[in-house]
Amino acid sequence: NEAKNRHDGVKRQLDDVKKLNNIDFGAEEEFFVLKGQCFEKRDEQYTYKLCPFDRSDQDGTNIGRWDSWELGADGVNHYNVMMYNKGNSCWQGPQRSTRVEVICGQENQIISASEPAKCEYAYVFATPAACTKVQDETEIHDEL
């Protein structure tokens, strides 16, 4: 029985590694540092939570599970929009979803959270992981 428990534990670990390998963390894996972290923003009514590559919540209600990066209009992944789909169903409405615009910022934080359409949420999330080398150099030159 102990051998079976160990086998099952190793199998679960292997499955977790396979799931991680299937996640696109960016062209240079730059967004991997966000995995396993969660960020919150409180407004007048709600607390919004974003756990990159996992889920998005509004006051504990699942408003989307990690799905994919959204392709740009040119069909290329620019790693600037994350999609979270298949959240809890709305009453007489669709399943909740969250579109997260990812921008360059000095720290990881949800800048804004809104509900532009029924059960469709929008976040703006700033992270140093989204800053390109060109942006970094420009910001350094601006400071000088």
Side-chain angles (χ1 to χ4, degrees):
N1 201 13
E2 183 181 334
K4 181 175 178 4
N5 288 342
R6 281 184 157 192
H7 175 267
D8 291 348
V10 170
K11 186 175 183 330
R12 273 193 304 277
Q13 288 177 329
L14 187 59
D15 288 346
D16 289 346
V17 168
K18 285 179 182 175
K19 284 179 192 169
L20 275 179
N21 277 339
N22 289 333
I23 296 175
D24 183 353
F25 290 112
E28 298 177 22
E29 304 291 312
E30 60 272 26
F31 295 99
F32 180 77
V33 296
L34 300 174
K35 177 74 178 145
Q37 298 189 61
C38 294
F39 308 95
E40 290 188 356
K41 173 153 184 78
R42 175 106 184 112
D43 70 9
E44 309 83 46
Q45 283 185 291
Y46 304 107
T47 298
Y48 295 93
K49 185 174 183 179
L50 175 65
C51 302
F53 306 103
D54 186 12
R55 61 186 284 146
S56 175
D57 293 342
Q58 178 194 50
D59 284 343
T61 297
N62 179 346
I63 60 173
R65 295 196 180 283
W66 166 252
D67 187 9
S68 62
W69 291 97
E70 184 177 273
L71 298 181
D74 57 3
V76 175
N77 187 346
H78 298 285
Y79 298 101
N80 59 353
V81 177
M82 298 173 133
M83 291 304 302
Y84 293 77
N85 294 313
K86 298 182 180 165
N88 291 2
S89 293
C90 278
W91 187 74
Q92 293 187 338
Q95 285 186 302
R96 291 172 170 87
S97 63
T98 308
R99 184 179 189 272
V100 180
E101 180 185 355
V102 181
I103 63 170
C104 173
Q106 290 188 338
E107 61 183 272
N108 297 318
Q109 64 178 336
I110 300 171
I111 302 294
S112 66
S114 61
E115 188 177 358
K118 182 180 180 179
C119 304
E120 292 180 10
Y121 301 84
Y123 291 178
V124 175
F125 179 70
T127 176
C131 301
T132 64
K133 290 182 178 86
V134 173
Q135 285 172 318
D136 292 343
E137 288 171 11
T138 302
E139 287 167 10
I140 289 168
H141 289 300
D142 287 349
E143 289 175 12
L144 298 176

